[in-house]
Amino acid sequence: MRIRPLVLTAAIAAAFGLIVPTATAALAQPPSGATAPAAVIDRSSRGAVAHEYRAHYAPAMRVPIGWTGSIAGCRAGTDSAAQAAATQSAINFARRLAGLSPATLRDSYSAKAQQAALVYAANRALTHSIPSSWKCFTKAAKQAGASSDIALGVAGAKAIGAYLGDAGDNNRVAGHRRWILYPSARVFGSGSTATSNALWVLGDRAAAGHYRDPAWVAWPSAGYFPSQLEPAGRWSLTSDRYGDDFRAATVTVTTATGTVLPVHLEKPVTGYGNATLVWEIRAPVKPASWHTRSITVQVSNIHRGTTVLGHRYTVRLFNPMALKPATAATVTGTATVGSTLTAVPGRFSPAATGFGYQWYRGATAIAGATQATYTPVPEDAGQPLKVKVTGMRTHYRVAGSIALTAVVQP
């Protein structure tokens, strides 16, 4: 997979009639008391974030592209209506999780983005300045290339996750992410082949008072956050205006136990929406299994004119697709040779739809003992038995619960 950041320049803006904020013209802010849409996700609730992820983001990742075009014939085609809906769902899950207003896809933008996606697939290369010599070139593709986040090796809704992650040396400014999470963005366009995507991100900003504009947009966002979207340590904080200065800012990242994690600050780069600071956490941060891991971020020495600001927040990383044992498994029956024991699964959250079993003699797995029932044999006499009950559910990470028995009697 390869993705490239969109470097927005005055030349690109002039060529395509795009409106770009400048250092002397901050984005318009909503007036005091403006009513924001009640579409954001309650990040204070693990259950709410998990529900939204399971209902909107995870299913979007499983929707086939359904591309109808052809590289051989330079036919741009379309991706499926289901894929377009999935892409929009992925975009809006991220925006709502970041505290922003949702956006829509515009057909005219998507049609041009589709032509750009075809060009990238046909030439197996990426550039925001598509040359006329490239196979399947069109003026619409060229325009979309200059107006889009672009990806090769990933397509459809899955490209949204790649853009948000912004992995690789070429994406240290997190430009893809910053356009997707631009507060006033209201319209995108998306085109995909089986192997490429162009996501139109420029233009069509909502008027002041018609979008949510939090004081800070963090990624990962404060509160409960799906570990699947944790961007491999490349975190960012965006202010609610263009002119803030992060050049002298510092970042301290701390675990719940007080351990300070190593951080590398990237040089702030403007031209991707509002002012943003990007840093690399150079230590693993994802939690294991169903557990939650809290990471606190303190960003200090942010300059807004003559005012110096700071922002502190805590991210609670968790896996919304991991089954969590809610009650322990138990064993019924008498632990004697020849008497049948039965494993009774505990309850999992969300509910498991199937179970796996493995019986152990001490610490050693008993070959073939993989059913809910087990009848001790003479070899078990004098040994403790235990059974691991594993909860399973399609698309979820399995989880296990171990139940112990007494020492087997002859």
Side-chain angles (χ1 to χ4, degrees):
M1 177 188 70
R2 292 177 290 156
I3 57 177
R4 297 288 185 270
L6 171 58
V7 180
L8 184 59
T9 66
I12 292 176
F16 299 107
L18 305 173
I19 299 175
V20 185
T22 65
T24 57
L27 292 180
Q29 305 301 307
S32 177
T35 302
V40 298
I41 298 171
D42 179 8
R43 301 191 304 253
S44 69
S45 167
R46 175 176 170 142
V49 175
H51 170 76
E52 293 292 332
Y53 183 90
R54 295 166 185 165
H56 299 291
Y57 190 86
M61 298 301 106
R62 301 192 291 268
V63 176
I65 300 298
W67 182 45
T68 63
S70 166
I71 291 176
C74 282
R75 290 190 298 105
T78 62
D79 50 15
S80 69
Q83 178 55 235
T87 300
Q88 181 171 317
S89 183
I91 291 169
N92 284 335
F93 174 80
R95 288 183 60 84
R96 294 169 59 224
L97 189 63
L100 304 172
S101 301
T104 60
L105 297 181
R106 177 172 292 172
D107 290 344
S108 59
Y109 288 170
S110 293
K112 293 178 180 180
Q114 188 67 44
Q115 294 192 45
L118 171 65
V119 170
Y120 298 135
N123 294 275
R124 299 182 182 181
L126 292 175
T127 176
H128 288 294
S129 302
I130 298 175
S132 58
S133 60
W134 273 23
K135 184 178 180 180
C136 303
F137 171 87
T138 64
K139 290 183 178 179
K142 182 177 179 67
Q143 183 183 13
S147 305
S148 301
D149 287 350
I150 57 178
L152 188 61
V154 66
K158 290 182 179 179
I160 305 306
Y163 295 141
L164 292 168
D166 260 334
D169 288 343
N170 291 317
N171 299 307
R172 292 186 179 278
V173 298
H176 300 89
R177 177 192 307 167
R178 290 160 66 173
W179 286 124
I180 291 174
L181 301 181
Y182 200 12
S184 66
R186 64 176 183 176
V187 178
F188 294 90
S190 179
S192 287
T193 69
T195 61
S196 62
N197 173 264
L199 181 71
W200 188 297
V201 295
L202 296 187
D204 288 281
R205 303 299 179 216
H210 294 277
Y211 59 91
R212 290 188 63 91
D213 189 24
W216 307 100
V217 175
W219 195 261
S221 50
Y224 287 100
F225 188 89
S227 59
Q228 289 88 339
L229 292 176
E230 193 283 310
R234 183 164 288 171
W235 293 29
S236 60
L237 180 69
T238 299
S239 76
D240 68 345
R241 58 195 69 196
Y242 181 79
D244 282 356
D245 187 350
F246 284 102
R247 288 176 297 176
T250 61
V251 175
T252 303
V253 177
T254 312
T255 68
T257 60
T259 301
V260 178
L261 301 180
V263 169
H264 170 74
L265 289 177
E266 301 292 348
K267 181 180 179 180
V269 176
T270 59
Y272 301 84
N274 292 351
T276 297
L277 182 67
V278 181
W279 61 93
E280 300 273 355
I281 301 176
R282 295 186 168 175
V285 295
K286 291 185 179 181
S289 190
W290 63 85
H291 300 287
T292 298
R293 190 176 190 199
S294 294
I295 305 292
T296 297
V297 176
Q298 174 67 55
V299 183
S300 304
N301 209 29
I302 306 165
H303 288 256
R304 179 174 294 171
T306 58
T307 302
V308 179
L309 306 173
H311 183 56
R312 182 182 178 89
Y313 60 99
T314 297
V315 178
R316 295 177 173 85
L317 295 164
F318 78 107
N319 183 353
M321 301 303 291
L323 299 185
K324 179 180 180 180
T327 59
T330 58
V331 175
T332 61
T334 303
T336 58
V337 172
S339 180
T340 298
L341 300 172
T342 301
V344 180
R347 184 171 58 84
F348 290 84
S349 177
T353 56
F355 300 96
Y357 303 88
Q358 177 62 63
W359 291 84
Y360 292 81
R361 182 183 300 120
T364 304
I366 302 172
T370 56
Q371 302 299 317
T373 59
Y374 177 72
T375 302
V377 297
E379 295 95 310
D380 297 322
Q383 299 286 329
L385 292 178
K386 65 182 178 182
V387 60
K388 181 177 182 179
V389 182
T390 301
M392 296 177 285
R393 185 181 175 110
T394 303
H395 303 304
Y396 282 71
R397 182 175 178 178
V398 300
S401 178
I402 293 179
L404 301 176
T405 71
V407 173
V408 175
Q409 301 300 311

